[in-house]
Amino acid sequence: MSDDNGYIQFLAEARSGDRVAMGRLAKLVWERVYPFVFRTTPDHNAAEDILQETLLAMLCRLDSLRDDKRFWPWIHRIAWHKVQDRLRDRRLQSLVLAELARRESAAGVGSAPDPLDTQVRDESLQQLAAALDQLSARHRDILRLRCYEQLAYPEIAARTRTTAARARTHFHRATKSLEKCLACCV
C-alpha cells in the first residue's frame, strides 16, 4: 500500500473507530510531518511535543475533515498552528522573565526589601485573592492550570475533558473576568 493512497483507507477505518487504523494513520503522520515540525523548531523535545499535540488534535477532529484528499494540507495546517502556539507561549514567557529581571535589577538584588514595596505587594496579593474568589470555579481552575501549573492547552483539555481550542477560549474568558474583577477592586 503506497503512502499517498494508503492513508485514505486508514482514514476511513479510523473514523469508524478502528484503533489499529488510528495507530497506522498516526505513524504515517508522524513520519511525514516530523521533518516539517523539526525544521520550524530545531529542538527534538519541542518537535515531539508539538507532533503529539497535532496527533491528538487530528484524532479529536477527524470527523471535521470534509475532503479526504485534503488530509495532508489539513494536518500540516494543524501542525503549523501548534508551532505558532508554542512560539507565542515562549515569547510570552520570555517577556515575563525579562520583566521580572528588570524589576529585580531596579530594586537592587540582595538589598533589604523596602517596607513600602512589601506593603504594596501584600495589598496587590490581597486584591488578587479577592478577585479570584469572585470568579467561577471553572475560571479559577483554568487559571490555576495555565498560570500556576503552566500546562499547555492540550494538557488542560485532557484534564478538563474538553478540546484544546475550548481550553484556550475558557482561559481567555477567565483572564477577561479576572481583569474586570481587578478593575472593580481598584
Side-chain angles (χ1 to χ4, degrees):
M1 192 176 322
S2 78
D3 181 29
D4 292 339
N5 295 324
Y7 76 90
I8 293 177
Q9 179 182 352
F10 294 146
L11 190 57
E13 292 171 359
R15 280 187 175 140
S16 67
D18 183 0
R19 291 188 181 271
V20 174
M22 286 181 194
R24 289 179 182 158
L25 188 61
K27 184 178 179 189
L28 280 175
V29 169
W30 187 280
E31 291 170 353
R32 191 161 174 178
V33 178
Y34 182 82
F36 164 73
V37 173
F38 185 69
R39 279 192 307 269
T40 59
T41 57
D43 173 16
H44 288 289
N45 293 329
E48 286 181 357
D49 289 346
I50 290 168
L51 205 50
Q52 287 177 358
E53 292 172 15
T54 302
L55 291 173
L56 181 63
M58 174 195 73
L59 292 173
C60 290
R61 300 184 209 155
L62 210 51
D63 292 331
S64 69
L65 179 64
R66 287 176 260 152
D67 182 6
D68 291 351
K69 293 180 181 173
R70 301 286 302 153
F71 177 73
W72 291 114
W74 179 70
I75 287 295
H76 279 88
R77 191 169 48 254
I78 290 172
W80 178 246
H81 286 293
K82 298 299 179 187
V83 167
Q84 294 301 310
D85 290 345
R86 177 64 59 104
L87 292 175
R88 188 180 317 108
D89 288 346
R90 271 211 173 139
R91 270 183 262 148
L92 181 61
Q93 186 177 21
S94 67
L95 287 173
V96 168
L97 291 175
E99 178 62 20
L100 287 174
R102 186 191 66 76
R103 287 183 183 185
E104 284 179 359
S105 67
V109 177
S111 62
D114 183 22
L116 183 58
D117 287 340
T118 303
Q119 184 177 1
V120 168
R121 182 178 179 276
D122 290 344
E123 287 177 6
S124 296
L125 288 174
Q126 288 174 355
Q127 288 177 343
L128 180 61
L132 284 170
D133 285 340
Q134 294 176 11
L135 296 178
S136 68
R138 171 183 268 177
H139 284 171
R140 278 194 309 269
D141 289 343
I142 199 87
L143 286 170
R144 179 183 50 80
L145 292 171
R146 184 73 177 142
C147 298
Y148 295 110
E149 295 185 26
Q150 297 182 346
L151 296 180
Y153 292 114
E155 294 170 310
I156 294 171
R159 286 199 185 179
T160 59
R161 296 182 183 177
T162 186
T163 65
R166 284 194 178 166
R168 180 178 285 115
T169 301
H170 290 309
F171 178 73
H172 177 74
R173 290 177 181 165
T175 56
K176 292 301 177 187
S177 295
L178 183 60
E179 286 175 7
K180 287 179 185 176
C181 291
L182 287 171
C184 293
C185 293
V186 175

